[in-house]
Amino acid sequence: MSHESRTESVPERLTVQDASSAAEPGRNDAAPRAGGSGTGSVDRAAATGGGLLLVGVALAAANMRPAVTSLSSVLGGVRDSLGAGATWASVLTSVPTLCFGVAGISAPLLARRWGMQRVVGVALGLLTLAMLVRVTGGATTVFAGTVVACGAIAMCNVLIPVVVKESFPHRVGMATGIYTTAMAAGGSIGSAFTPWLRTELGGWRLALATWSVLALAAFVIWSTAGRSASGGSSPAAPSRSAGDKSLVRSPLAWAVTGYFAMQSLVAYVIMGWLPEVFKSAGTGAGTAGALLGLVLLIGVPVSMVLPPLVTRTNGQSMWTVGLAATAIAGFLGILLAPMAAPVLWAVLVGTGMSAFPLALVLISLRSSNAAETSRLSGMAQSTGYLIASTGPFLFGVLHNTTGSWTASLLVLIGVLTVQAIIGVFAGRPRTV
């Protein structure tokens, strides 16, 4: 109990910040560079592979949202073109978080068997194929292709942060910043440009298929980097030792998991339905997609500056409340006067969505070592995403039942309120 009441120690903060800044002059990790029989050449080869791997990390991260946001920005047109019903659209928007929850359980098992870099490479290949196949048929094909695509994304979503920690132990902060920034940028361009591509290419099928090019580029770079980095070896997933504590009995672990679940639920409701909400208010399809792109674009600079800022404070409770309150203000604007200042509402909602990088920081700060971080991350992501998967479906069902977005938006505001309350407990400076 006394352990939980402590503030996080300096080493815990370094799991989020750039670890290279903490390296001491006399550390042994500098020794191999000095020379020796062959060690220097191996180190230089690893550094070269590591640079290519960093590019692969950025490209893989850039693919974690376009498959979702590109479809949501033209969802109404796709549904009408295929003659699909409202329930189909509601279920489709729930696919990403459901896949992420399942992958939170299966990804570590696959990584232990075949290695994380290999699993990520196969996932990127599947993502490329799925994004092509899903535009070739009817409603069932679109749904099945989206399930496979989101399953592939989910594998990357779970494993790439661990690859970053394993492959860039002295540049964790820098690599994580690149990872989260590329993720936000990919989601933004997927939403903003897909309506324009639909117009230019003559339909939604070619517009959605275009994003497979980005996935193919990530697959090629990642496959090459996986063979180059560390002489072709692949980091293994952290294993659990017999002495590890069970997180199921930790209230703090459940608080972190609950916070991750609530922010994920809100995020995927936004990515799945926000364009439709704006279109119902009177905006065109292109403008609605651009507004979602703006929401996601806000996350690019925030993902770069937020993690270093929050790790400098003794606790993160104020950050969790502030971000939730900002999102609530944006949704109140959309609810009460959607066309009065849609850009302002998008900026407020986008700022509030920065709870995602904050959730990743909390996972690191609320755990005391790497193995504990891995277990807490697995618990938060698997359980959190499964809970979040209900959000997009219920948001759409409420709209279909009531004939307006009012009830759906009020429930979402309620979820944000719960997120803020849970965040107060998750943000207190202690470890599980």
Side-chain angles (χ1 to χ4, degrees):
M1 180 69 75
S2 59
H3 182 60
E4 288 193 355
S5 64
R6 297 176 191 166
T7 59
E8 61 264 39
S9 63
V10 173
E12 290 162 15
R13 292 177 179 271
L14 296 178
T15 62
V16 178
Q17 295 174 337
D18 189 351
S20 63
S21 63
E24 297 176 0
R27 286 179 63 100
N28 292 334
D29 56 358
R33 296 187 183 93
S37 57
T39 305
S41 60
V42 171
D43 219 23
R44 285 191 294 272
T48 303
L52 189 60
L53 182 61
L54 192 59
V55 176
V57 165
L59 283 173
N63 278 281
M64 289 189 190
R65 285 180 175 170
V68 177
T69 60
S70 61
L71 179 57
S72 67
S73 66
V74 293
L75 182 59
V78 172
R79 182 184 59 199
D80 295 341
S81 171
L82 298 175
T87 302
W88 175 86
S90 297
V91 174
L92 188 67
T93 58
S94 299
V95 164
T97 47
L98 185 60
C99 288
F100 293 167
V102 173
I105 301 171
S106 60
L109 300 177
L110 294 175
R112 289 192 186 101
R113 184 175 180 87
W114 289 298
M116 286 185 290
Q117 289 180 353
R118 184 176 298 172
V119 172
V120 171
V122 171
L124 290 171
L126 283 175
L127 175 61
T128 304
L129 292 175
M131 293 179 73
L132 289 172
V133 170
R134 73 173 178 174
V135 301
T136 62
T140 302
T141 303
V142 172
F143 186 87
T146 301
V147 169
V148 175
C150 289
I153 293 170
M155 292 292 173
C156 299
N157 197 48
V158 172
L159 295 179
I160 288 180
V162 188
V163 172
V164 166
K165 289 184 179 182
E166 292 282 344
S167 301
F168 306 98
H170 305 300
R171 292 182 291 169
V172 172
M174 177 271 292
T176 302
I178 291 174
Y179 160 75
T180 55
T181 301
M183 185 189 300
S188 177
I189 63 174
S191 172
F193 284 96
T194 302
W196 174 79
L197 286 171
R198 180 181 61 178
T199 301
E200 294 297 316
L201 299 177
W204 59 267
R205 295 182 187 273
L206 286 177
L208 294 181
T210 300
W211 299 107
S212 64
V213 176
L214 183 62
L216 178 61
F219 170 72
V220 171
I221 295 298
W222 189 274
S223 299
T224 305
R227 291 191 297 268
S228 301
S230 302
S233 64
S234 181
S239 58
R240 179 175 176 174
S241 65
D244 284 340
K245 299 171 291 184
S246 173
L247 296 182
V248 176
R249 297 181 180 180
S250 169
L252 177 56
W254 281 111
V256 173
T257 298
Y259 185 79
F260 192 95
M262 295 301 101
Q263 65 83 27
S264 296
L265 188 154
V266 173
Y268 281 92
V269 165
I270 291 170
M271 287 188 283
W273 287 110
L274 191 62
E276 295 298 309
V277 174
F278 275 121
K279 282 191 284 186
S280 296
T283 64
T287 302
L291 287 170
L292 176 59
L294 176 61
V295 168
L296 300 174
L297 185 63
I298 297 297
V300 175
V302 175
S303 295
M304 296 177 67
V305 301
L306 185 65
L309 286 177
V310 300
T311 54
R312 293 189 183 119
T313 59
N314 189 42
Q316 291 72 42
S317 297
M318 289 181 58
W319 291 97
T320 63
V321 173
L323 290 176
T326 303
I328 288 173
F331 280 115
L332 284 173
I334 294 173
L335 177 63
L336 301 175
M339 299 306 295
V343 172
L344 175 60
W345 310 146
V347 169
L348 290 173
V349 170
T351 304
M353 272 187 67
S354 301
F356 173 70
L358 177 57
L360 296 181
V361 170
L362 288 176
I363 290 173
S364 183
L365 291 181
R366 299 289 85 86
S367 50
S368 56
N369 55 61
E372 208 168 69
T373 299
S374 176
R375 293 195 297 119
L376 182 57
S377 178
M379 176 179 174
Q381 291 201 45
S382 59
T383 307
Y385 278 130
L386 286 174
I387 295 172
S389 66
T390 62
F393 175 75
L394 293 177
F395 192 84
V397 168
L398 271 177
H399 169 67
N400 297 333
T401 303
T402 63
S404 74
W405 295 107
T406 301
S408 299
L409 290 170
L410 287 174
V411 170
L412 199 61
I413 290 170
V415 171
L416 283 163
T417 303
V418 173
Q419 175 184 314
I421 295 171
I422 295 176
V424 170
F425 294 97
R428 291 175 179 171
R430 61 206 192 283
T431 58
V432 295

